[in-house]
Amino acid sequence: MRIDIITIHPELLKSPFEHSILKRAIEKKVVEVNLIDLRDYTTYKHNQVDDYAFGGGAGMVLMIEPIANCLKALKEKNTYDEIIYTSPDGELLQQSTCNYFSTLKNIIVLCGHYKGVDERVREHFVTKEISIGDYVLSGGELAAAVLCDGIIRLLPGVLNDETSALTDSFQDDLLAPPVYTRPAEYNGWKVPDILTSGHTANIEKWRHEKSLERTKERRPELYNKYGKK
Ligand code: ADE
């Protein structure tokens, strides 16, 4: 998979790809991530990429021209399955969205910005708009990092244990069960006996029950959705 991220803060986005699972995925060439500086594509003086909104109001808006230039240059070299724009008014990111994106070959992620982007970019270039939650971040870069992490960890060969992404919270609309590790007792607090019993079938049953319990308690809307399946 190839992910081209268009941003005015490439430095801000470096670190998430330089550690742990994402770093390994890149080293294994399962994914190629390119950080593209939008300022390299402007023809305005002083590398300007944003301007005041027509009609007034506070905040700067990303201009269409640098984005169009950048997209044109990228599209000359690759074809893209989706051009994703990160914005608080996009579609809420879900596990199912990550699953879908992880099946694609090439995507572009355009990071949003203060007051947004010229609406014509959204109308004519963007194919999906993604929000990572109902809160406003200072820019779309951290949202892009969250999105990419959610996608890349699903790519075949990225996680060591082939089944571990499948047993994540949300993969089956249930939250994950509690997990424990050594020591089996700390400060008088004991790990549930069943987990140290060695009885695999009972452990699986216990985990499923705990998943149901936890989902019902914490996310009743997910629990109801699960019940209807
Ligand atoms: N940019 C600013 N806030 C955001 C959010 N919640 N999701 C995606 N992009 C954003």
Side-chain angles (χ1 to χ4, degrees):
M1 182 178 202
R2 176 193 179 99
I3 306 179
D4 291 336
I5 307 178
I6 304 173
T7 168
I8 55 166
H9 298 297
E11 288 299 317
L12 178 59
L13 265 171
K14 267 192 180 162
S15 150
F17 301 101
E18 290 175 346
H19 303 275
S20 183
I21 290 172
L22 303 196
K23 177 186 179 193
R24 214 171 52 226
I26 292 166
E27 283 171 356
K28 284 170 108 181
K29 301 202 183 328
V30 174
V31 65
E32 179 184 332
V33 178
N34 300 299
L35 301 177
I36 297 156
D37 191 340
L38 184 61
R39 293 189 196 279
D40 292 343
Y41 292 88
T42 185
T43 52
Y44 287 85
K45 265 193 286 188
H46 312 300
N47 287 341
Q48 187 184 353
V49 288
D50 57 5
D51 209 341
Y52 295 101
F54 280 128
M60 304 294 271
V61 176
L62 280 182
M63 294 187 284
I64 189 168
E65 285 160 284
I67 296 172
N69 295 341
C70 180
L71 292 175
K72 183 165 181 279
L74 291 175
K75 286 177 181 175
E76 274 165 10
K77 291 200 222 109
N78 302 288
T79 52
Y80 292 92
D81 303 302
E82 297 281 7
I83 299 176
I84 304 160
Y85 173 60
T86 54
S87 165
D89 56 6
E91 176 188 320
L92 208 54
L93 183 64
Q94 307 276 343
Q95 187 59 50
S96 55
T97 334
C98 293
N99 294 352
Y100 162 66
F101 286 140
S102 77
T103 65
L104 305 178
K105 197 160 180 299
N106 300 328
I107 61 173
I108 290 174
V109 181
L110 171 63
C111 298
H113 177 67
Y114 312 116
K115 274 291 155 204
V117 62
D118 188 302
E119 189 65 17
R120 291 165 292 185
V121 170
R122 301 172 76 158
E123 286 169 1
H124 300 289
F125 296 126
V126 169
T127 59
K128 281 264 186 322
E129 304 188 339
I130 294 293
S131 164
I132 63 160
D134 288 341
Y135 41 83
V136 179
L137 303 169
S138 52
E141 280 74 15
L142 297 181
V146 167
L147 172 66
C148 290
D149 188 305
I151 297 170
I152 294 171
R153 62 188 295 286
L154 297 174
L155 298 175
V158 172
L159 295 182
N160 286 334
D161 179 349
E162 282 282 284
T163 62
S164 69
L166 295 174
T167 57
D168 286 342
S169 278
F170 301 110
Q171 259 325 348
D172 53 7
D173 289 326
L174 289 178
L175 302 184
V179 291
Y180 300 84
T181 186
R182 287 190 296 177
E185 183 171 344
Y186 173 78
N187 203 25
W189 304 322
K190 284 190 71 193
V191 168
D193 287 337
I194 186 138
L195 295 178
T196 51
S197 69
H199 196 302
T200 319
N202 286 353
I203 292 172
E204 280 315 303
K205 188 164 166 275
W206 180 89
R207 286 190 170 143
H208 184 63
E209 281 163 11
K210 288 290 164 192
S211 273
L212 288 170
E213 225 173 85
R214 187 163 270 198
T215 311
K216 188 174 181 185
E217 196 179 291
R218 300 182 183 194
R219 300 290 302 274
E221 81 291 359
L222 279 183
Y223 181 77
N224 289 334
K225 189 167 145 196
Y226 179 81
K228 290 198 185 94
K229 276 207 290 199

